[in-house]
Amino acid sequence: MSGSDGGPCPRSADAIEYDAEVVEYFDALARSGPSHEEMVRRVAQWCGARVGIRTHGSAEGVIADPEGRVGRGAPTDTALTATTGDDRGIVWIDRGPGGAPSPRDGLIVDRLRATALLVRRMLSDDEPPLSRDVAVETVLSSMAYPADRARALRMLGFDGGSLYVVAVTGPEGVVDGLLPILQGRGGRTHSHSFDSVAVVLTENPPPRRLDVPVGARVVVSAEIPGLSAPQTWHRTCVALQFLTPSSRATGPYQRGEAFGYRTEESSVVELMSVIAQHVPRRALAELDSLRALDRIVDQPGGDELLQILSVVAGTDSLRQAAALIHMHHGSVRRRVDWAEEELGFRVTEPYGRTLLMLLLLLHRLRDSVRFPGGFSGLGSL
């Protein structure tokens, strides 16, 4: 038997044997209201086979392997399939050419079919539509139920696919300037502004380099499954706190300035996220070294000196720092000498740069805003 493309047709699920464990598993899965992406991932990991769902009219469906990796694909000739009823979609389980079928496979496909149809009705047909802003907030909120997040993703057009999270803070109009760049390929793109930071959700791979307006900061995430958006939003906002604002309208920028690409994946941000979550603001307010840094910043030219100290902390020598910021070595030396007098330690001493870097990070954290999405940038006690 051949399919419409001339290849062998996948097998259909005919004989079904009842198994209480399978039925109970899919009943619990349906109650959680997962998206198609989450559904195939969980079922594939549970049954140890490739699992897919394809809606009517789509060339490819959402498919997951037993390791939980989610992608796009179609059923092969070794797949066991079932149609999803009134929406004329298809679900399948595939153990591959060398895989031994399980007696449960027929029931698994049947329950997957029923669950996909039930969840589709539950998340779309009987629920009033969300506004775009509410949908974006629901996608990002760590307090939202997975079913509500899946519904919001569907309403934004991200169901079953991946997306990128872009966090932006800075002068008014920064997001408006970025949107044409992020929408360049015509895919779905949604933006929303909170009090202190804006977010852009987009299907389009953002550029690896970006010109950032003066005073602004931008962090672009890696490509992620939509259901993991809250965790990525959290880490992206933490990464945003460790950037210094753009000092010029066009790049390239120094490391740690203006633009971060996939910085939320770095081990540094992972470690700093713990500090951001648990260090009380009151404790930072009591640090003499931070008060000293405040006095430096309050002096004429203090912002420029803060930028110089940031570069010094990240380089091996004052001469190297001077070259990076296009200043004479002697000028950098004089400014650093004055800062060392205020701070009470020498940068060139053992661990001096490490101490300076930690001080700058704590300064940045203390002065950072609280970010939305179900978490705070710093402890409030």
Side-chain angles (χ1 to χ4, degrees):
M1 187 174 182
S2 298
S4 59
D5 60 356
C9 277
R11 298 174 294 134
S12 296
D14 298 322
I16 298 176
E17 297 181 8
Y18 179 81
D19 186 303
E21 182 184 351
V22 174
V23 173
E24 291 172 0
Y25 174 83
F26 279 96
D27 284 349
L29 181 64
R31 286 193 296 270
S32 69
S35 68
H36 286 172
E37 181 182 63
E38 179 69 6
M39 191 183 307
V40 296
R41 184 186 67 79
R42 289 168 61 178
V43 175
Q45 290 179 310
W46 175 70
C47 71
R50 293 176 65 82
V51 172
I53 298 176
R54 185 176 67 193
T55 56
H56 175 64
S58 300
E60 291 185 324
V62 184
I63 190 168
D65 63 20
E67 285 71 43
R69 294 184 292 260
V70 179
R72 309 289 296 184
T76 68
D77 58 300
T78 59
L80 185 64
T81 67
T83 58
T84 55
D86 61 0
D87 71 346
R88 292 180 291 171
I90 187 172
V91 301
W92 67 92
I93 180 173
D94 189 354
R95 299 192 182 274
S102 167
R104 291 176 158 188
D105 285 353
L107 182 59
I108 289 173
V109 170
D110 180 68
R111 291 294 88 194
L112 179 62
R113 173 199 62 77
T115 302
L117 186 57
L118 176 63
V119 169
R120 184 183 67 82
R121 290 172 176 171
M122 180 173 64
L123 296 182
S124 58
D125 295 350
D126 299 330
E127 294 285 347
L130 298 174
S131 69
R132 188 193 65 174
D133 287 347
V134 171
V136 171
E137 290 183 4
T138 302
V139 168
L140 298 177
S141 175
S142 61
M143 309 302 291
Y145 288 107
D148 294 331
R149 187 174 305 116
R151 175 172 168 246
L153 286 165
R154 289 170 65 88
M155 290 184 174
L156 293 171
F158 293 127
D159 180 56
S162 56
L163 54 87
Y164 299 84
V165 178
V166 183
V168 184
T169 187
E172 187 176 352
V174 173
V175 175
D176 293 338
L178 289 176
L179 281 178
I181 300 172
L182 298 175
Q183 292 173 331
R185 298 185 182 181
R188 294 179 182 86
T189 301
H190 301 283
S191 65
H192 178 61
S193 293
F194 298 94
D195 289 339
S196 55
V197 66
V199 63
V200 180
L201 303 178
T202 181
E203 288 182 323
N204 299 323
R208 290 174 178 263
R209 293 179 177 82
L210 197 66
D211 291 333
V212 179
V214 173
R217 291 172 283 160
V218 179
V219 173
V220 173
S221 80
E223 185 177 15
I224 61 159
L227 284 174
S228 66
Q231 297 92 323
T232 298
W233 173 236
H234 177 172
R235 292 171 62 84
T236 300
C237 285
V238 171
L240 197 68
Q241 296 177 80
F242 297 111
L243 287 179
T244 58
S246 173
S247 60
R248 54 189 181 279
T250 58
Y253 301 100
Q254 299 169 17
R255 182 179 178 86
E257 179 191 358
F259 181 67
Y261 180 77
R262 297 179 64 163
T263 52
E264 86 287 348
E265 295 182 325
S266 73
S267 57
V268 173
V269 169
E270 183 177 12
L271 292 172
M272 290 302 104
S273 177
V274 175
I275 297 176
Q277 288 279 25
H278 300 292
V279 173
R281 290 178 181 269
R282 185 171 58 194
L284 294 182
E286 297 172 356
L287 289 177
D288 290 338
S289 54
L290 274 180
R291 294 195 190 105
L293 192 57
D294 288 338
R295 291 194 296 271
I296 292 173
V297 175
D298 289 341
Q299 295 293 323
D303 289 337
E304 183 183 25
L305 181 50
L306 186 65
Q307 182 70 30
I308 291 172
L309 292 175
S310 297
V311 176
V312 168
T315 52
D316 295 329
S317 69
L318 295 183
R319 193 172 299 277
Q320 184 181 2
L324 285 174
I325 56 181
H326 308 291
M327 291 182 67
H328 190 274
H329 168 257
S331 179
V332 171
R333 174 74 267 180
R334 286 191 299 273
R335 298 185 188 206
V336 171
D337 285 344
W338 182 82
E340 288 176 338
E341 290 295 325
E342 287 289 328
L343 295 173
F345 65 89
R346 297 194 65 81
V347 172
T348 53
E349 290 178 347
Y351 298 106
R353 281 183 171 80
T354 302
L355 181 57
L356 177 60
M357 179 63 75
L358 179 59
L359 180 59
L360 291 168
L361 289 174
L362 292 177
H363 179 267
R364 206 169 296 169
L365 278 174
R366 186 204 60 187
D367 293 348
S368 65
V369 293
R370 291 178 177 272
F371 291 107
F375 74 97
S376 296
L378 275 173
S380 57
L381 297 177

